[in-house]
Amino acid sequence: ASWAAWMPPSISGLSGSCASIPCRFSFPEELRPGSVQGLWYLGSPYPRHYPPVVARSRPGAVHESFAGRARLVGDPALRDCSLELGPPLSAELAGRYYFRADLGGYNQYSFSEHAVLQVPPEVVAGAPAELRCRVPDSCPRQRPRLRWEGAQELPEVSEREWREDAAGAGAVVARLRFRPRRQDGGRRLGCQVTLPNSSLAFSAGVALDVQYEPQVLEVSGPAEALEGSEVHLGCSAEGRPAPLLTWFRGPQVLREEPGAPALPLHLPQVSPEDSGTYTCVAENRHGRHNRSLELQVAYAPRPPVLNGSLWVLAGEQVRLTCAALSHPAPILTVTRGRRPVATAVYEPQVRLELAAAAPEDAGEYLCRAENQHGHSSLAFNLTVEYPPVLLPESRCAPAGEGLARCVCAAAAVPAPSVAFELPWLNVTVAEGHRDFALTWSSPGAVRAALTLRGGLEPRLAVLCAARNGHGAARMQLNTPGHTWAHLGTPGGLEPRLAVLCAARNGHGAARMQLRFHHPGGAHTWAHLREIGTHLGTPGHT
């Protein structure tokens, strides 16, 4: 019927484990609280000292050292204030724990009763460790003699002994200091006590629990795997406490498992994206260790990719690259027909270069990538544009009695427009005229024909003209003889009239007078009169 609490005055816990502090409390019976809450402090029972809050019965902030590591497992409404600490316990959690009850309003009380949590330091490989053996010394006639057993093989051993007095009760204390190794785990150390002039002997012993940082013993798996195959990776490690094992690929966590001696990783169907560095990490509170392996996924070349312009003007430089992804790196070949024009062995790309493109460089090319796992290819067309070139078949020739046929043939990219020019009439005959016929002999090559009717005088000229966006060409057409058919009513082409061939592009022009030739060698000329009648403009001569 008063404010009081009951809990063990001292609690010992193993580092890394957990500890429970059983607790009950009471308060005056005359208080009739609607609810009962509580919380635990470390180090002091008074809130004005701002002690760290360990745990609360209602939601609220706690000190960061206890977040997720302390729970008020008892129900204060049932006057149960039991506290659970860890896992894991660690040295910073050691100290005095106080409970405070909250019945609402001013009815709050911090109990002076407390529990002291002791967390003995861990024995860690490579760090100094200490054991103490305490023996009562209450008989002056028989002073106890202490001796350590099992410490002979420990490294860096030192011993010391002294006597303590506490409120008249004496004790002899022996201290053993050493630096344990990983292999000393499980070693038994004992303290043997004998009394002089007596057959009495006492002993106490302990097995060393040597903690140590983890070590990844082995990572296993293939260095290379074929695309689509199944891959198994393995990792084994040791450490005390047992480490958390994690598989990483780069920064990505693939799998993890705490306390396992080994951790396999299964990749059911690998792809090139699975290539990279795989790292197995072992981690416990004493440290971290990792080992890695490289996995390369082999695959056939992916479809090649072109970089560069497939259009070029004649005379300009050509620079094209063809690249293909694969592992191992492919052999890349660019061919035209069956002739290789560029090759790269075990390189990611091949370069096709032409110092000055010519029209004959245009056409279809093939880029092929291959390795031991397969091949792929890409066909592409190179277009070389150039101004018109008039072909040798351009000429005029008799086509029967009273007829002559003139042909104007040209090649260019893009395809040119072709026309016949009759300068003495200041007339240009092009596609759409009744006596004009246009045919295509091949891509970029144009052949136009003009039918003339009646006599063609030597003084009259017929010119072939071709034009595209890059330039123009012109030439006077020649004939294999000197007898001309008539176009329209009789007339003639006089020797004093000339037919000129002219060619022009962005870099200059050329012009020449064309001669007429007849297979029989005759020199009589027909006359072409009123030619305009047959070109759609009656009355012109």
Side-chain angles (χ1 to χ4, degrees):
S2 63
W3 294 101
W6 296 267
M7 65 190 73
S10 178
I11 292 288
S12 292
L14 294 177
S15 181
S17 180
C18 65
S20 177
I21 302 178
C23 174
R24 301 284 294 175
F25 70 99
S26 66
F27 52 85
E29 292 292 341
E30 62 268 20
L31 299 178
R32 305 287 183 178
S35 66
V36 180
Q37 304 294 333
L39 73 162
W40 283 87
Y41 289 128
L42 174 66
S44 172
Y46 305 113
R48 64 177 178 272
H49 295 159
Y50 302 103
V53 177
V54 175
R56 300 174 181 269
S57 60
R58 63 172 57 156
V62 299
H63 191 271
E64 60 183 8
S65 298
F66 296 93
R69 301 170 70 186
R71 290 190 309 134
L72 203 166
V73 293
D75 184 355
L78 302 177
R79 308 185 187 191
D80 185 349
C81 50
S82 298
L83 176 68
E84 185 178 279
L85 296 166
L89 288 180
S90 55
E92 71 267 18
L93 302 188
R96 297 183 179 187
Y97 285 80
Y98 295 87
F99 180 70
R100 178 178 176 84
D102 181 359
L103 279 63
Y106 293 101
N107 295 317
Q108 301 182 34
Y109 190 84
S110 292
F111 298 95
S112 59
E113 296 89 348
H114 60 274
V116 178
L117 174 66
Q118 297 176 343
V119 182
E122 294 178 316
V123 179
V124 181
E130 180 178 295
L131 289 181
R132 292 190 181 187
C133 180
R134 185 184 302 273
V135 180
D137 183 18
S138 55
C139 179
R141 295 181 180 181
Q142 290 182 315
R143 297 290 184 187
R145 297 174 182 173
L146 282 66
R147 183 171 63 88
W148 290 101
E149 295 180 332
Q152 293 79 12
E153 298 180 5
L154 291 173
E156 303 182 29
V157 174
S158 66
E159 299 182 26
R160 184 189 170 196
E161 187 176 309
W162 68 90
R163 191 176 187 280
E164 292 181 346
D165 285 299
V172 176
V173 179
R175 184 189 67 191
L176 175 69
R177 285 183 174 174
F178 57 97
R179 192 179 295 271
R181 300 160 299 186
R182 183 179 304 184
Q183 60 267 33
D184 293 322
R187 178 187 295 275
R188 291 198 64 83
L189 297 177
C191 175
Q192 188 178 50
V193 181
T194 59
L195 299 176
N197 303 319
S198 170
S199 61
L200 297 175
F202 307 91
S203 65
V206 64
L208 292 182
D209 179 15
V210 180
Q211 307 279 300
Y212 56 92
E213 65 182 14
Q215 182 80 26
V216 177
L217 303 177
E218 181 186 19
V219 290
S220 60
E224 184 173 281
L226 187 61
E227 181 179 21
S229 64
E230 185 178 25
V231 172
H232 292 275
L233 305 181
C235 172
S236 61
E238 65 175 7
R240 191 164 181 85
L244 168 70
L245 292 182
T246 309
W247 271 110
F248 289 87
R249 183 167 65 86
Q252 180 185 5
V253 176
L254 303 178
R255 188 186 177 194
E256 64 180 6
E257 189 171 331
L263 183 63
L265 181 64
H266 177 223
L267 305 175
Q269 194 172 13
V270 293
S271 65
E273 290 72 26
D274 294 317
S275 295
T277 302
Y278 288 78
T279 303
C280 180
V281 177
E283 184 174 11
N284 65 14
R285 59 180 175 271
H286 302 298
R288 175 187 175 106
H289 185 249
N290 67 78
R291 284 191 178 182
S292 301
L293 60 81
E294 290 288 334
L295 174 65
Q296 290 293 335
V297 178
Y299 59 98
R302 298 296 191 249
V305 177
L306 280 179
N307 186 18
S309 176
L310 295 177
W311 174 91
V312 67
L313 187 61
E316 292 183 347
Q317 188 178 29
V318 174
R319 286 184 176 177
L320 287 173
T321 59
C322 178
L325 296 175
S326 73
H327 183 80
I331 298 175
L332 286 163
T333 307
V334 178
T335 58
R336 187 178 184 195
R338 295 185 177 181
R339 181 173 62 91
V341 294
T343 303
V345 179
Y346 306 137
E347 296 290 341
Q349 67 179 26
V350 62
R351 184 183 299 274
L352 173 63
E353 292 187 346
L354 300 174
E360 56 268 23
D361 294 322
E364 184 175 290
Y365 292 77
L366 182 71
C367 177
R368 178 183 172 90
E370 58 184 328
N371 64 13
Q372 62 264 45
H373 303 296
H375 62 85
S376 61
S377 59
L378 173 69
F380 62 94
N381 276 285
L382 177 65
T383 300
V384 180
E385 295 195 357
Y386 57 95
V389 175
L390 297 175
L391 304 179
E393 61 186 280
S394 301
R395 65 181 61 213
C396 291
E401 187 175 353
L403 296 175
R405 185 178 179 82
C406 293
V407 174
C408 179
V413 177
S417 60
V418 178
F420 292 93
E421 296 180 3
L422 307 178
W424 71 90
L425 293 176
N426 196 23
V427 171
T428 298
V429 182
E431 187 175 7
H433 192 276
R434 65 179 182 178
D435 294 319
F436 184 96
L438 185 67
T439 58
W440 300 84
S441 57
S442 62
V446 180
R447 187 177 187 275
L450 177 65
T451 301
L452 299 174
R453 310 171 192 277
L456 184 61
E457 297 182 3
R459 60 186 177 83
L460 300 181
V462 178
L463 277 69
C464 166
R467 180 184 301 276
N468 70 3
H470 301 299
R474 180 180 296 170
M475 67 179 288
Q476 181 174 336
L477 301 181
N478 62 351
T479 66
H482 299 283
T483 304
W484 291 85
H486 295 274
L487 178 63
T489 59
L493 179 61
E494 300 180 1
R496 59 189 174 85
L497 298 182
V499 179
L500 276 66
C501 166
R504 179 184 304 275
N505 68 7
H507 304 294
R511 180 178 295 176
M512 67 178 287
Q513 180 173 342
L514 304 181
R515 63 186 179 85
F516 293 89
H517 174 68
H518 187 276
H523 293 278
T524 49
W525 294 82
H527 293 278
L528 181 64
R529 296 185 184 283
E530 297 184 7
I531 189 171
T533 303
H534 299 274
L535 294 178
T537 53
H540 290 163
T541 304

